[in-house]
Amino acid sequence: MATSSAKGGRPSWPKRAVVTAGMPYGNKPLHFGHIAGVFVPADAFARFLRDRIGTDNVRFISGTDCFGSPINEGYRKLVEAGEFDGTIEEYVRANHDAQKATLEAYGISLDIYEGSGLGYAGSVHQLISEKFIEKLHENGHLQRRSTLQFYDAEAGTFLNGRQVTGRCPVQGCKSEHGYADECDLGHSYAPEDLIAPKSSLTGSVPEMRPVENWYFDLPSFAGFLRGFVDDLEADREVRAIVPKTLREFLAPPVIYVKNELRDAYEGIAADLPPHELREPEKGKQSFEIEFFDIDARDAAREALSRAGIRFRTGKALVPFRITGNIEWGVAAPVIDGLEGLTVWCWPESLWAPMSFTMAVNDQMGLPRGSWRDWWCSEDAEVYQFIGQDNLYFYGVAQPALIEALRPGDIMTPGPTDRPIRQTRLIANHHILFGDKKASSSGAVKPPAADELLEHYTVEQLRAHFLALGLDQKSVGFKPKPYLASPEELDDPRVADPVLKEGALLTNVFNRLARSCFYEAQKSFEGHLPLGKVSPEVLDKAHETMRAYESVMHRVELHTVMSIMDEFIRWANKHWSDGIRAAENEGDEAARRQVLVDSFYLLRVATLLMHPVVPAGTEKICDYLSFEFDDFFSWNYDFDNVDELCSAGEITEGRHRIRQLPPRFDFFQKHPSQRR
């Protein structure tokens, strides 16, 4: 839940915070959607929190998801094609290293980026996974279920999730990329419901054979989840897409049957578990059969299948699979003699942020158990940045899994046996490529994140991605080098939408910073003059900081960009108008006051833009000759620049700054743009 606002309209902040950025699969490098939709927003917010509550109080964590059927399948295809001859762990490690390099290139300031099966974090994650599952079982929330799994008789092997393709059976879903028990839009279903299944190994129609696995009793948490979603709906700082999407999964179990099969249904209706029939709404092609619980629905599904009646299921809470039968995975604990299982990648990725927090705290030399200060304390908050497709897992399954634990279940009990707190979900809509949804497995291929750096600087891209407004709706990314026609590409009159925010940096922000430095070098012997800031400048800065902090509390990063665009332009105009008037009148006192005001405005703008464009703003701080920890901190009154200076400098009325070379750019254009 969001941290409450303090008195006076200023938001209050947690004492400690964890920021997560999902976990990319270890089967490929990062594409632009990973960076734009999750990592850059999460990084900007994590950087802000470090400035706001202190670096030591923030953990920004992520890592490669080392397991899961996409990885198995990607590895298998490369080996069969003769393009890779190492082990699957070496394959994942190579992709992890490439992902980490890309994140570093984009200035993503993670405290840890390891892997769920790599290095020290992998060892911690194995231990936590075992503890998590054992405690779920001890608390009575696991069910041993015999279910059907796809088996390729020609290949003589069970198939993992991505080795089966078909169409999603969930009513209303238009995904053509359905896999064994989930589609690429995040809908879960029973494997036997997948429409037109086909094995990717042989192309044959797979058989269904029974296997035993552990399932989390998610339907039993329906009441808790309804209250959880009610609270989300009442919280004005939670993005509307979160409760709206979660509410869809809390509906009673429903089966949809085509209208033309009504007579066939009537013939077996008396044999079905008790249910309610709902006539089709006007224009709808199916009628609905609603059941009391998921077991009744599944019994009806089997009866309908035996009768040859085609149907689709609706979204509903279904038992959440915990273990699987593929070799490459986190080893599941042996419970009740059920051996040889691995943990399904989705549940273990939901508690992986806890594992990573433990790992990074251990690496920092903090006491074992200190992770609870970030995950269990009332004055802590966990912010999880995710894409909208993953809301079922992070907004339905994860809250129920956390609720199923007792205080002290994970690792040793703390001094107060505090329970793990629920997290705050920061869900972004899809970022489109042009006007189409891009997918590595779809027809429209997204550009790799590294490729974009051949055309744009990191800071141009960061500013543009944050300005898109993915918290509001799906938005198109429209880079001119990729989407323009050959004629448009060479036409300077055709603007590149990606450079809109970059122009604020390379033109307006650069101009403000350079003007201050060059004037100080020309008229004040290379010193920043200290003194009282003009009232209208002070009012403008404080008003901007209040608005900025308020929207940052709601994580409305596109609004942050709008606020900063207006403020930087205002500051630049204040400088231009003021210095022109001072020079026209030959008023040296006015000249000094303009520089006092403008350096103050530069200080505020640099602090507020630090989460967005860290490299350029840190360069400004460096040339201002202030310590980073002091300059990028909100622990000041912001009444002047004097509060950053020593007593001797205040007495002298000036602060020495570094010499700025001629035509210096704090924010540069990409070499390809310098024409």
Side-chain angles (χ1 to χ4, degrees):
M1 302 304 164
T3 307
S4 61
S5 294
K7 292 181 180 179
R10 294 288 299 276
S12 63
W13 296 96
K15 184 176 179 180
R16 295 181 182 86
V18 174
V19 179
T20 75
M23 295 178 64
Y25 277 130
N27 63 331
K28 66 186 70 173
L30 301 178
H31 61 68
F32 84 95
H34 292 122
I35 296 295
V38 178
F39 278 104
V40 166
D43 181 70
F45 190 67
R47 287 178 180 273
F48 164 75
L49 285 175
R50 292 189 187 115
D51 293 346
R52 189 66 185 79
I53 66 174
T55 299
D56 291 342
N57 297 318
V58 178
R59 297 288 181 268
F60 181 24
I61 59 178
S62 183
T64 300
D65 191 344
C66 298
F67 306 109
S69 55
I71 295 168
N72 292 64
E73 186 65 357
Y75 172 72
R76 181 190 68 80
K77 288 180 178 179
L78 286 181
V79 170
E80 286 186 357
E83 298 175 19
F84 193 85
D85 61 359
T87 66
I88 189 169
E89 183 173 356
E90 290 170 336
Y91 167 72
V92 171
R93 169 64 73 178
N95 286 318
H96 165 79
D97 291 345
Q99 292 172 358
K100 190 172 184 179
T102 299
L103 293 170
E104 290 172 353
Y106 275 86
I108 308 301
S109 58
L110 288 154
D111 293 298
I112 185 171
Y113 191 78
E114 293 190 5
S116 55
L118 302 174
Y120 180 68
S123 300
V124 174
H125 188 56
Q126 174 67 56
L127 174 62
I128 298 310
S129 296
E130 292 173 7
K131 291 286 186 181
F132 216 109
I133 295 170
E134 288 169 352
K135 291 302 179 180
L136 290 175
H137 183 261
E138 287 178 19
N139 296 346
H141 300 303
L142 289 190
Q143 302 171 337
R144 182 171 178 168
R145 296 169 68 96
S146 177
T147 60
L148 297 175
Q149 185 171 330
F150 289 107
Y151 183 86
D152 189 324
E154 290 186 28
T157 183
F158 281 102
L159 302 175
N160 67 45
R162 291 296 173 107
Q163 290 175 335
V164 183
T165 58
R167 299 198 307 278
C168 179
V170 174
Q171 178 71 10
C173 180
K174 294 181 171 54
S175 173
E176 295 294 322
H177 297 283
Y179 304 107
D181 53 11
E182 63 169 329
C183 74
D184 64 346
L185 296 182
H187 298 138
S188 295
Y189 41 80
E192 55 266 37
D193 288 344
L194 180 67
I195 299 172
K198 183 173 71 173
S199 168
S200 65
L201 298 184
T202 62
S204 62
V205 177
E207 302 173 4
M208 300 299 295
R209 295 192 178 181
V211 294
E212 282 196 309
N213 274 294
W214 291 107
Y215 284 75
F216 174 61
D217 187 10
L218 185 58
S220 70
F221 287 83
F224 160 75
L225 289 169
R226 291 189 183 96
F228 179 74
V229 174
D230 288 344
D231 290 342
L232 294 179
E233 288 177 333
D235 190 337
R236 291 181 296 177
E237 294 200 348
V238 174
R239 295 177 181 177
I241 190 176
V242 175
K244 179 179 181 296
T245 301
L246 303 188
R247 183 73 72 186
E248 294 173 357
F249 291 99
L250 302 182
V254 170
I255 288 177
Y256 297 85
V257 181
K258 290 284 189 182
N259 295 335
E260 60 264 28
L261 298 175
R262 181 62 175 266
D263 289 344
Y265 154 76
E266 296 286 359
I268 66 165
D271 300 327
L272 299 179
H275 61 274
E276 179 181 346
L277 171 67
R278 282 202 291 272
E279 298 295 340
E281 297 179 4
K282 185 177 181 181
K284 298 291 184 180
Q285 298 179 347
S286 301
F287 60 92
E288 302 176 12
I289 317 170
E290 181 182 308
F291 297 88
F292 176 72
D293 58 27
I294 198 69
D295 291 334
R297 190 205 70 173
D298 288 348
R301 196 184 68 226
E302 294 175 6
L304 291 168
S305 296
R306 288 195 301 269
I309 300 174
R310 297 189 309 276
F311 59 88
R312 283 201 170 197
T313 53
K315 297 178 185 178
L317 294 181
V318 298
F320 188 60
R321 182 156 62 93
I322 296 295
T323 62
N325 306 85
I326 61 176
E327 182 178 348
W328 176 244
V330 175
V334 177
I335 301 175
D336 292 349
L338 196 53
E339 300 181 283
L341 302 179
T342 52
V343 186
W344 186 37
C345 66
W346 262 116
E348 50 99 353
S349 70
L350 298 179
W351 55 71
M354 300 178 202
S355 304
F356 287 169
T357 305
M358 296 177 199
V360 73
N361 278 8
D362 288 350
Q363 291 166 353
M364 290 178 173
L366 296 177
R368 179 60 62 89
S370 64
W371 70 278
R372 290 190 195 82
D373 293 335
W374 278 264
W375 281 87
C376 304
S377 296
E378 285 297 319
D379 56 4
E381 190 85 64
V382 179
Y383 302 86
Q384 293 195 289
F385 284 73
I386 60 174
Q388 69 177 79
D389 287 351
N390 294 333
L391 274 171
Y392 171 77
F393 298 103
Y394 287 95
V396 176
Q398 185 192 64
L401 286 167
I402 290 175
E403 180 67 11
L405 296 177
R406 298 181 183 131
D409 269 355
I410 302 303
M411 304 303 289
T412 56
T416 57
D417 286 351
R418 298 167 298 190
I420 296 171
R421 299 191 64 203
Q422 295 293 344
T423 69
R424 181 178 173 190
L425 301 179
I426 314 295
N428 276 339
H429 292 257
H430 299 298
I431 182 167
L432 309 176
F433 186 50
D435 58 358
K436 295 181 173 63
K437 184 181 178 183
S439 168
S440 302
S441 58
V444 180
K445 304 296 182 184
D450 291 343
E451 292 176 9
L452 295 178
L453 299 181
E454 299 173 8
H455 306 280
Y456 305 100
T457 68
V458 167
E459 298 201 315
Q460 287 173 333
L461 289 169
R462 285 177 64 103
H464 181 65
F465 291 151
L466 293 176
L468 286 176
L470 294 173
D471 56 319
Q472 302 291 313
K473 60 181 179 180
S474 295
V475 183
F477 174 57
K478 302 176 180 179
K480 182 178 177 181
Y482 289 86
L483 298 177
S485 67
E487 295 77 18
E488 293 172 329
L489 199 58
D490 295 327
D491 188 345
R493 296 171 298 177
V494 178
D496 187 341
V498 178
L499 296 180
K500 178 184 176 184
E501 294 75 25
L504 175 71
L505 304 174
T506 57
N507 296 339
V508 190
F509 203 178
N510 262 341
R511 190 181 309 126
L512 173 65
R514 283 197 302 253
S515 298
C516 290
F517 279 94
Y518 291 148
E519 181 61 28
Q521 291 169 191
K522 182 182 75 170
S523 304
F524 294 89
E525 301 178 326
H527 287 81
L528 183 164
L530 304 177
K532 188 176 181 180
V533 178
S534 300
E536 69 274 15
V537 170
L538 205 61
D539 289 345
K540 179 65 176 178
H542 284 195
E543 174 192 354
T544 299
M545 293 186 74
R546 284 193 297 271
Y548 176 103
E549 188 179 20
S550 178
V551 299
M552 191 62 88
H553 199 265
R554 300 193 298 272
V555 202
E556 293 179 359
L557 300 177
H558 72 291
T559 308
V560 165
M561 290 300 300
S562 298
I563 289 171
M564 293 313 302
D565 184 284
E566 193 274 335
F567 179 69
I568 292 170
R569 294 182 189 280
W570 187 94
N572 191 68
K573 186 175 187 303
H574 181 84
W575 157 261
S576 300
D577 293 347
I579 197 65
R580 185 184 305 112
E583 290 178 344
N584 289 342
E585 297 170 11
D587 188 337
E588 292 307 308
R591 179 189 299 275
R592 188 181 194 283
Q593 187 61 52
V594 169
L595 204 55
V596 168
D597 290 346
S598 296
F599 266 118
Y600 170 77
L601 290 167
L602 178 62
R603 174 221 179 166
V604 173
T606 304
L607 169 67
L608 301 187
M609 286 296 285
H610 183 228
V612 180
V613 282
T617 52
E618 289 173 6
K619 198 179 299 181
I620 292 174
C621 176
D622 185 38
Y623 273 88
L624 285 171
S625 296
F626 290 119
E627 294 293 331
F628 281 16
D629 289 346
D630 291 334
F631 189 87
F632 294 112
S633 170
W634 284 64
N635 293 326
Y636 289 94
D637 294 329
F638 294 98
D639 289 336
N640 49 48
V641 180
D642 303 32
E643 56 192 356
L644 292 171
C645 301
S646 67
E649 289 175 321
I650 294 172
T651 299
E652 191 178 351
R654 62 183 191 169
H655 166 77
R656 168 65 72 178
I657 58 178
R658 288 180 58 191
Q659 181 83 6
L660 193 68
R663 296 182 295 278
F664 186 85
D665 285 331
F666 292 100
F667 304 97
Q668 297 184 340
K669 293 183 178 180
H670 191 273
S672 66
Q673 300 159 12
R674 298 172 192 162
R675 296 180 181 177

